Amino acid sequence: MSDLITVTINGQQFQAKPGAMLIDVADDNNINIPRFCYHKKLTVAANCRMCLVEIEKAPKPMPACATPCNDGMVVKTSSSSAIAAQKSTMEFLLINHPLDCPICDQGGECELQDVAMGYGEGVSQYTEQKRVVRDKDIGPLISMEMTRCIHCTRCVRFGDEIAGLPELGLTGRGENVEIGTYIEKAVTSEMSGNVIDICPVGALTAKPSRYTSRPWELSQHASIAPHDCVGSNIYVHTRNNDVIRVVPRDNESINECWISDRDRFSYTAINHEDRIRLPRLRKDGEWQTVDWETAINVVVEKFSAAANKDAKKDGSSVAALISPQSTLEELYLTQKLFRGLGSNNLDHRVRQSDFSAQDTAPVMPWLGRSIESLESLDACLVIAGNLRHEQPILAHRLRKAVVQNSAEISTLVHVGGLYNFDQLQEITGNAEQLVSDLAAIVVALASKTKTKLSAALTKILGKTKASKEHNAIAKSLINGEQSAVIVGQQAISSPYLSLIQQLAEAVSSMSSSTLGYLSDSSNSAGASLAGVLPHRVEAGQAAEKEGQNTTQILTEPHQMLLLMGLDPALDISGTDISEQIRSNNDFIVAINSFSNQFIEQNADVILPMAAFTETSGTFVNIEGFWQSFKGCVRPQEEARPGWKILASLGQVLLPGDDFEYLDSSDVRDELKEKCRDIELNNLVSISSGLTKLPSRPRSLQMIGSSVMFSSDQLSRRSEPLQLTENNLSNSCLMINVEQAEKLGLSNCQQVQVKQNGANAVLPVLLNEGVPTGCAWLPQGIEAVKDLSGSFGTIKLEKLS
């Protein structure tokens, strides 16, 4: 305690760290000091002057947010001098503020209203005309009413310090100061919606929920974001049975007080016209609406018939593909049902193509460290991942490591220019080049650490040589006291996944770095624990007999196929996926919240499933946290929570296998007990079937990844997200200038992409971050649904 100092506030003595800001000490001890510009996650601006307090021996009131504490300091926050200063400041702030609280979305939760009630006067001394500021259009997510702005600059500092994109700024001087974009354009940050939360007035509000409700009419429900593997904590605000908006819920160990735009605005898809609200059954080629009892009986009859007619008695006649966005309870009950029927043909890895190392893969893909610890790293290597678009909160944590800890971040990616890090070593290339670069880093590490490589690695590496860039990455990992190797989401769809895993493990071991794997959805980790795998049952235990993986399920014939939460054409990349599934399966059951072209044309039964706000469940994030949530609103019409649908099927199909659950928490607890002794470990000595590095192809190569706002069924149907500049610009084919000139596409507006007999037509966008010899294509959108996978040889033809 000797390093603490004593500060007296309002006659009470408190201990504080030397240099701590006075406003922080007051907050820690529940002493209220009014403020507008101050925010706990932003730098101090001290420009609103609302936090003026009286300090003994100071000649004038001082701003508490910018005044460091000294030993023996005596402070008065509510003396006549302090109150007079605060009231004067309040009067100046209200000079130009419009009296439109009754129509302002911020009304009822406005910091300006709250402070004005305590420090404002009932009558203003000013009679001059109030100024009016023209509103700007910065996109479909944020509404600007800048006449209300009090120039606290929170939004400006957020862009500079948190988002890493300084898109908003102050222009003009004196009373002509305005906040807006430096040039007329939309705000494109993947975390832009957070400025709505930090704005202390009604200048920045959510455009999708504008004028729909008053804050006091809303009910608040704690929930978990259903998109990426971070598991950001959110509040869902509802009125009656409608979801009105989503806002962040503070959790310092996961998302702090921020969420991504995808997590914030995807709720707008819940009432989309594609919602499935009633059970349907195909009879004589036509859809008929039926009741639940009829639909369940048909499904049970077909399942029973398929299981009884299974000639091999190995369950090969039934199979299931389940979305990794499903809840832990839905995943566990699916595998419990299918294994009760004798089938191991089930998988959640719908975007994976290389399954050669699945037997030695980790029990659960995880980060290898806590999410919070990322910001304390000295060095990090990200392999095949665009964190900004795929896991924005993780990208924010790494940026904090650069800003606060001068961390050296290195990336092996397919497209460059994706990150906002000042200290960044970035190497781009196609699938084969990325593996070669990773191998070169292994060579560089072996040389620097004098490590003797295994015979298998030596054979794979061959004559690989390390360049200056590879040596620099190796050096940063070795020199960092805290370093990490993170295998990103794009590695999952790589045809060389097992080789990437083996080389990443070698890099991690030789550099004494933690090894982490990022998954492609909100509950991929939970799916692994629940046993939705052909070779493992729950808790990572090996199955008695290995079933069919995703690729095999697509190509092998079955009498019954269950598709849960999937749009096969968009979630499973591959030419003629729809045709394969239809021709190989006699009867298809779709359990989904949203209709899509495939199930409308090919399914035989459609069971309506509740959306994420309408059901209870659990997601397991990439750190291994089990985060449960409850339903916020009632399911629409006849939709039912997925776990209830599966439990009902289990009760009828397998009456002796205990599918009697009263609540989803009973399902969770049953699985949790089985997973109690699991120890997470990514270092599992994966042995690749490849004996050498892949050769570099000479033809034009496709490199693809999911578009941020088209990664799942919710975000694809969110109209505000689909209208963002970020989404529109990333729904194009991207190619660099040199490659465009070589192919005669320099002035091309649209191009036709050809691959294995399939075609796609896309707009063209020139991007110098795309390596020569490659073209980047978006995944998960209608335009490219017929192309096979995220990698491979393509041909381009100019259309216009």
Side-chain angles (χ1 to χ4, degrees):
M1 301 291 289
S2 59
D3 58 339
L4 298 179
I5 60 175
T6 300
V7 180
T8 302
I9 304 177
N10 296 339
Q12 290 182 279
Q13 290 189 344
F14 301 103
Q15 300 292 302
K17 293 181 180 179
M21 293 301 168
L22 181 57
I23 199 169
D24 293 324
V25 177
D27 287 347
D28 291 342
N29 292 282
N30 298 316
I31 298 174
N32 179 58
I33 298 178
R35 82 289 302 271
F36 292 117
C37 67
Y38 173 80
H39 190 278
K40 61 182 179 180
K41 294 293 183 180
L42 304 175
T43 57
V44 173
N47 54 7
C48 77
R49 317 307 283 183
M50 194 64 223
C51 63
L52 292 174
V53 294
E54 181 183 352
I55 299 177
E56 191 175 88
K57 298 181 180 179
K60 59 182 180 181
M62 303 291 288
C65 68
T67 303
C69 292
N70 295 315
D71 194 23
M73 178 182 282
V74 178
V75 181
K76 296 179 182 178
T77 66
S78 54
S79 66
S80 57
S81 174
I83 294 295
Q86 291 161 358
K87 286 190 172 184
S88 296
T89 300
M90 190 74 249
E91 187 172 11
F92 277 107
L93 289 173
L94 292 175
I95 288 174
N96 283 309
H97 199 80
L99 298 176
D100 60 354
C101 296
I103 64 164
C104 177
D105 272 359
Q106 196 83 351
E109 56 183 8
C110 176
E111 293 179 47
L112 186 67
Q113 278 185 333
D114 294 341
V115 178
M117 286 294 292
Y119 300 91
E121 298 290 347
V123 179
S124 174
Q125 299 181 53
Y126 292 86
T127 58
E128 290 80 7
Q129 186 173 353
K130 293 177 180 283
R131 77 167 191 163
V132 176
V133 179
R134 182 178 64 87
D135 297 331
K136 289 98 175 162
D137 183 4
I138 59 172
L141 305 181
I142 304 169
S143 176
M144 298 187 82
E145 297 278 354
M146 299 315 292
T147 302
R148 301 170 182 162
C149 179
I150 61 171
H151 308 139
C152 71
T153 69
R154 283 187 184 180
C155 58
V156 177
R157 284 174 285 148
F158 172 84
D160 289 341
E161 300 164 16
I162 307 299
L165 292 173
E167 297 174 297
L168 294 174
L170 284 165
T171 57
R173 292 175 65 84
E175 71 166 5
N176 296 317
V177 165
E178 294 184 19
I179 285 182
T181 55
Y182 291 109
I183 56 176
E184 293 291 332
K185 69 182 186 73
V187 172
T188 59
S189 166
E190 62 280 1
M191 296 175 66
S192 65
N194 289 291
V195 299
I196 297 168
D197 302 320
I198 64 176
C199 180
V201 296
L204 302 173
T205 54
K207 190 171 284 188
S209 59
R210 193 182 189 194
Y211 300 146
T212 58
S213 64
R214 309 302 303 189
W216 56 83
E217 299 173 334
L218 303 179
S219 299
Q220 181 168 273
H221 310 266
S223 190
I224 305 297
H227 300 288
D228 61 38
C229 59
V230 174
S232 295
N233 289 206
I234 58 175
Y235 281 121
V236 178
H237 289 170
T238 65
R239 184 185 60 191
N240 298 327
N241 201 49
D242 296 320
V243 177
I244 302 299
R245 64 182 180 182
V246 170
V247 298
R249 176 161 56 101
D250 284 10
N251 187 328
E252 284 297 316
S253 64
I254 297 179
N255 57 297
E256 299 179 90
C257 58
W258 317 116
I259 55 174
S260 68
D261 289 347
R262 179 173 55 185
D263 294 337
R264 183 185 297 272
F265 295 109
S266 64
Y267 77 90
T268 54
I270 291 172
N271 294 318
H272 194 274
E273 61 183 9
D274 287 346
R275 273 303 300 270
I276 302 173
R277 296 176 172 87
L278 299 168
R280 286 191 284 162
L281 176 65
R282 190 188 298 275
K283 289 186 178 180
D284 301 323
E286 298 293 329
W287 283 113
Q288 295 184 9
T289 300
V290 297
D291 57 40
W292 268 102
E293 184 178 1
T294 301
I296 289 291
N297 287 338
V298 169
V299 174
V300 168
E301 179 185 346
K302 293 294 183 180
F303 265 119
S304 299
N308 292 334
K309 290 181 181 179
D310 191 347
K312 299 178 183 178
K313 299 300 179 183
D314 61 357
S316 61
S317 62
V318 293
L321 290 173
I322 306 98
S323 168
Q325 202 176 14
S326 304
T327 66
L328 190 68
E329 292 78 1
E330 293 162 357
L331 293 161
Y332 175 64
L333 289 178
T334 302
Q335 70 87 30
K336 185 176 180 179
L337 174 64
F338 270 72
R339 292 201 159 99
L341 295 171
S343 177
N344 287 319
N345 302 333
L346 68 165
D347 211 340
H348 73 278
R349 302 166 298 175
V350 292
R351 291 191 175 98
Q352 189 169 323
S353 59
D354 177 11
F355 300 95
S356 60
Q358 67 176 14
D359 291 333
T360 53
V363 171
M364 184 195 92
W366 82 295
L367 188 57
R369 56 168 56 241
S370 69
I371 293 173
E372 190 174 13
S373 70
L374 289 178
E375 57 191 64
S376 64
L377 289 174
D378 301 306
C380 181
L381 171 63
V382 180
I383 303 167
N386 175 7
L387 302 191
R388 271 193 59 207
H389 288 182
E390 293 159 0
Q391 295 94 12
I393 296 297
L394 297 187
H396 161 63
R397 293 281 192 181
L398 285 185
R399 187 173 183 278
K400 286 180 73 175
V402 173
V403 173
Q404 299 175 3
N405 209 33
S406 298
E408 295 184 53
I409 309 297
S410 307
T411 61
L412 301 181
V413 290
H414 299 304
V415 178
L418 302 172
Y419 299 92
N420 303 323
F421 306 146
D422 296 328
Q423 296 165 270
L424 176 66
Q425 178 77 21
E426 190 171 68
I427 302 178
T428 62
N430 58 29
E432 292 77 14
Q433 181 63 48
L434 186 144
V435 175
S436 297
D437 287 323
L438 185 55
I441 295 173
V442 173
V443 171
L445 283 167
S447 174
K448 292 180 181 298
T449 60
K450 310 298 181 183
T451 302
K452 185 177 180 180
L453 300 173
S454 66
L457 270 178
T458 301
K459 190 173 183 180
I460 291 172
L461 296 174
K463 298 181 180 180
T464 300
K465 295 183 179 179
S467 68
K468 179 181 178 182
E469 291 81 5
H470 301 130
N471 279 297
I473 293 174
K475 182 179 179 181
S476 70
L477 292 174
I478 294 171
N479 292 343
E481 292 184 11
Q482 291 284 329
S483 57
V485 176
I486 299 175
V487 179
Q489 180 177 319
Q490 294 171 21
I492 294 171
S493 56
S494 172
Y496 310 111
L497 173 61
S498 60
L499 187 52
I500 290 174
Q501 289 174 315
Q502 188 173 8
L503 295 173
E505 185 168 325
V507 172
S508 170
S509 298
M510 286 190 284
S511 63
S512 298
S513 304
T514 58
L515 175 62
Y517 290 105
L518 302 182
S519 50
D520 62 343
S521 196
S522 58
N523 210 19
S524 298
S528 296
L529 293 177
V532 185
L533 293 165
H535 61 295
R536 289 176 180 165
V537 297
E538 66 271 15
Q541 299 299 312
E544 291 184 7
K545 182 177 180 180
E546 187 172 301
Q548 298 168 356
N549 59 44
T550 298
T551 302
Q552 293 165 337
I553 290 173
L554 294 174
T555 55
E556 295 291 328
H558 310 98
Q559 286 185 289
M560 278 281 296
L561 175 68
L562 172 67
L563 296 173
M564 187 161 182
L566 288 173
D567 182 345
L570 301 182
D571 293 329
I572 310 173
S573 300
T575 308
D576 297 328
I577 285 292
S578 299
E579 183 60 33
Q580 283 186 50
I581 297 177
R582 179 67 271 180
S583 61
N584 287 331
N585 298 278
D586 298 335
F587 196 86
I588 298 175
V589 178
I591 302 177
N592 213 323
S593 302
F594 297 96
S595 179
N596 55 64
Q597 186 177 3
F598 174 84
I599 63 176
E600 288 290 337
Q601 295 178 353
N602 300 299
D604 297 287
V605 175
I606 298 176
L607 303 179
M609 183 169 65
F612 87 98
T613 57
E614 301 164 357
T615 184
S616 58
T618 304
F619 290 145
V620 182
N621 78 350
I622 206 64
E623 191 178 336
F625 283 157
W626 294 44
Q627 301 189 104
S628 296
F629 54 92
K630 295 182 179 180
C632 309
V633 292
R634 297 185 305 275
Q636 296 189 11
E637 296 191 36
E638 292 297 311
R640 296 287 184 271
W643 72 269
K644 287 189 176 182
I645 298 172
L646 294 162
S648 298
L649 290 172
Q651 288 167 15
V652 181
L653 283 166
L654 305 167
D657 280 17
D658 190 18
F659 277 84
E660 300 287 343
Y661 299 102
L662 297 177
D663 190 78
S664 63
S665 60
D666 296 337
V667 186
R668 177 202 63 203
D669 293 343
E670 181 178 313
L671 176 60
K672 199 164 191 176
E673 182 62 32
K674 296 182 178 183
C675 295
R676 185 174 299 280
D677 298 326
I678 287 180
E679 294 184 6
L680 300 180
N681 181 16
N682 287 331
L683 300 174
V684 292
S685 300
I686 293 170
S687 178
S688 171
L690 294 174
T691 57
K692 61 179 181 179
L693 295 176
S695 58
R696 301 180 187 179
R698 296 182 179 180
S699 52
L700 185 67
Q701 294 294 297
M702 174 178 77
I703 48 179
S705 57
S706 295
V707 180
M708 178 167 39
F709 298 145
S710 296
S711 59
D712 53 59
Q713 295 194 95
L714 273 172
S715 55
R716 290 183 199 122
R717 289 172 173 81
S718 171
E719 184 178 357
L721 293 179
Q722 292 302 305
L723 293 175
T724 59
E725 183 177 315
N726 217 328
N727 185 69
L728 297 175
S729 62
N730 281 289
S731 298
C732 305
L733 179 142
M734 297 186 191
I735 196 168
N736 68 30
V737 174
E738 179 185 344
Q739 191 69 49
E741 292 176 351
K742 184 177 179 180
L743 298 174
L745 304 175
S746 298
N747 299 314
C748 180
Q749 299 295 318
Q750 281 192 319
V751 67
Q752 185 176 42
V753 185
K754 295 186 175 182
Q755 184 189 47
N756 300 332
N759 299 310
V761 176
L762 287 168
V764 177
L765 184 67
L766 298 180
N767 183 342
E768 288 307 295
V770 181
T772 301
C774 300
W776 181 87
L777 275 78
Q779 301 292 299
I781 65 173
E782 287 285 341
V784 299
K785 65 181 181 180
D786 294 328
L787 300 183
S788 56
S790 302
F791 303 95
T793 301
I794 57 173
K795 292 183 179 180
L796 303 181
E797 289 186 5
K798 183 177 180 179
L799 290 182
S800 60

